[in-house]
Amino acid sequence: MFQLNGKVALVTGGSRGIGRACCEALAEHGATVVVNYVKGEAAAREVADAIVAKGGKAEILGFDVADPKACEAAIEDVVKRHGKLDVLVANAGISIDGLLLRLKDEDLDRLFAVNVKGALACARASTKAMMKAKTGRVIFLSSVVGEMGNVGQTAYAATKAAVIGAAKSIAREFASRNITVNAIAPGFIDTDMTSHMNDAMKEHLVKIVPLGRTGTAREVAAACVYLASDEAAYVTGQVLRVNGGMYV
Ligand code: NAP
């Protein structure tokens, strides 16, 4: 089960955190993985090298998801070189936290440019190739806060809710082409994104997680492998929650 041999997968923001774990897990299951990054070239190279060292197939590809033309050119390039793109994991994301009354327009614009427009630009370019192949998997990274909200995360939560609406719509648009589109909504996962939280914030968060701990990037990556696999062929337009029961 969950064999991805012969599949080509692009993971945006694959250089760190959840994206890195998705790259590693997809490669372990046989996929050729394209590891995207924007700043972390060395980190992305380390991910690809680690995959290759274990006998897997990986390459790196730098582009800024906030630049729609760059997304299109990069994805066209992947399709040209590999002849196809089977799986897109639209994972690249940023968080900028703050209460609504202190929300800056430039932060709102940046959040939407990366988390929403970036994910959609990649989905648009990828589905073009998937349509021709009449098969494909698009997996968006949403968040628990996109469904339940969180004090101090209005803008970030809005971007993550947007991704769910987009996933459900794209799922309907492309179902007849045998392309499935889903979102993973992780809870509180230990990565660079959550490392700025102080101990008090972390303790509070862990208290509201029924499983009583933070999640790992690897646990999110397992959901990604499942959604990318043939076994998930009848799953589309869904939100797969990997959150320790934080929101049910
Ligand atoms: P992270 O550790 O901060 O890593 C972010 C990744 O996104 C990095 O690889 C980074 O690349 C890439 N990235 C950022 N801006 C980019 C851009 N403009 N173009 C291309 N790549 C870009 O984040 P994470 O915690 O793994 O989160 C991954 C995804 O899961 C995000 O969408 C996040 O919103 C979501 N999520 C995370 C959590 C959590 O608790 N950690 C919970 C729910 C949802 P560089 O290394 O090149 O900067």
Side-chain angles (χ1 to χ4, degrees):
M1 272 196 164
F2 312 132
Q3 275 311 311
L4 300 174
N5 291 326
K7 308 256 189 220
V8 177
L10 166 65
V11 180
T12 65
S15 51
R16 292 186 275 129
I18 292 170
R20 176 180 181 144
C22 290
C23 289
E24 291 171 344
L26 291 166
E28 278 165 29
H29 285 77
T32 297
V33 178
V34 181
V35 183
N36 161 253
Y37 64 93
V38 64
K39 290 187 202 137
E41 180 173 352
R45 196 170 295 284
E46 199 186 297
V47 175
D49 287 349
I51 289 171
V52 171
K54 283 189 184 162
K57 294 188 194 111
E59 62 189 41
I60 67 170
L61 186 60
F63 65 91
D64 183 351
V65 299
D67 176 349
K69 287 202 169 73
C71 296
E72 192 160 339
I75 290 167
E76 271 176 15
D77 175 58
V78 171
V79 174
K80 209 185 247 175
R81 282 185 297 106
H82 293 280
K84 60 177 185 165
L85 176 62
D86 299 290
V87 182
L88 167 70
V89 184
N91 162 81
I94 55 168
S95 67
I96 306 173
D97 294 344
L99 297 168
L100 175 65
L101 295 182
R102 295 195 194 131
L103 182 60
K104 294 190 192 117
D105 286 333
E106 56 265 36
D107 290 345
L108 193 58
D109 288 346
R110 184 69 194 150
L111 275 166
F112 271 84
V114 176
N115 294 2
V116 182
K117 291 177 80 179
L120 293 190
C122 291
R124 183 173 57 200
S126 301
T127 48
K128 262 190 211 163
M130 291 172 182
M131 251 168 62
K132 286 185 195 140
K134 291 201 169 55
T135 180
R137 296 276 189 274
V138 178
I139 302 164
F140 289 104
L141 264 294
S142 177
S143 166
V144 66
V145 302
E147 292 193 289
M148 67 181 269
N150 194 22
V151 172
Q153 289 198 302
T154 294
Y156 174 75
T159 66
K160 292 295 161 179
V163 157
I164 292 176
K168 292 184 179 188
S169 303
I170 303 168
R172 290 182 186 275
E173 280 186 26
F174 287 91
S176 63
R177 310 296 178 115
N178 197 31
I179 298 168
T180 68
V181 187
N182 294 286
I184 298 173
F188 178 23
I189 311 297
D190 261 324
T191 66
D192 289 348
M193 191 176 273
T194 49
S195 62
H196 68 277
M197 288 183 181
N198 61 38
D199 288 347
M201 280 163 87
K202 284 187 185 170
E203 264 172 40
H204 164 73
L205 271 174
V206 167
K207 271 192 199 138
I208 61 168
V209 177
L211 286 179
R213 64 172 177 85
T214 57
T216 65
R218 184 99 182 143
E219 287 168 325
V220 180
C224 177
V225 168
Y226 166 64
L227 290 174
S229 73
D230 289 346
E231 284 73 13
Y234 202 54
V235 177
T236 197
Q238 303 303 311
V239 180
L240 182 42
R241 298 173 184 144
V242 184
N243 64 19
M246 189 174 172
Y247 177 79
V248 293

